[in-house]
Amino acid sequence: MDRKLDHIDREIVKILQKQGTPSQRELAEKVGLSQNACWRRLHALREQGVICQDTVRLNAKALGLELTVFVLVRTRHHAREWFESFRNVVMGIPNIVDFFRIAGEYDYLMKVVARDMNDFDRVYQQIIGRVELDAITSYMTMETLADNRDLPV
């Protein structure tokens, strides 16, 4: 990033995290800028990569995705070729909504959303059937206490 975010930039990204896509006029009014000045700031924030895309948050339960599962994976393979194969498998399964390489006893962490246990088992079978793993363990959530929280800016 070329420059540090000032208080107006921080206010802009806070509003965008909460509201998504307010009109440029509404955003400018909320942060006390002209529309042109606000547009220039938005353009700079996109150029710097602070704002990487405009999206809408969806309610998983409203879409019938009642089950959230965190899956931990351990492997003995650490070659680039194995990782690329594993990554392609994971990225090819739409139910896997988050995917991380982690440190500790396990190597990877995935967040899976599914309609129910049978739907999750279909995802599980796709993973274990297409890539060799040392260990895989799953944790089913009982209640979502906080999800997709805004970044602290």
Side-chain angles (χ1 to χ4, degrees), residues 63-81:
L63 294 169
L65 300 166
E66 299 282 336
L67 181 63
T68 300
V69 182
F70 290 93
V71 178
L72 290 163
V73 170
R74 183 173 47 236
T75 182
R76 289 185 209 134
H77 306 281
H78 298 282
R80 190 76 171 146
E81 299 79 26

Side-chain angles (χ1 to χ4, degrees), residues 67-71 95-97 110-114 120 123 127:
L67 181 63
T68 300
V69 182
F70 290 93
V71 178
N95 295 73
I96 301 173
V97 295
M110 295 175 271
K111 179 180 177 184
V112 179
V113 294
F120 170 69
V123 172
I127 296 168

Side-chain angles (χ1 to χ4, degrees), residues 51-67:
I51 299 172
C52 55
Q53 67 185 117
D54 299 322
T55 64
V56 173
R57 290 182 184 170
L58 302 176
N59 181 329
K61 288 192 188 295
L63 294 169
L65 300 166
E66 299 282 336
L67 181 63

Side-chain angles (χ1 to χ4, degrees), residues 97-111:
V97 295
D98 289 314
F99 177 43
F100 304 93
R101 186 168 60 90
I102 60 175
E105 185 178 344
Y106 287 89
D107 300 301
Y108 299 95
L109 170 68
M110 295 175 271
K111 179 180 177 184

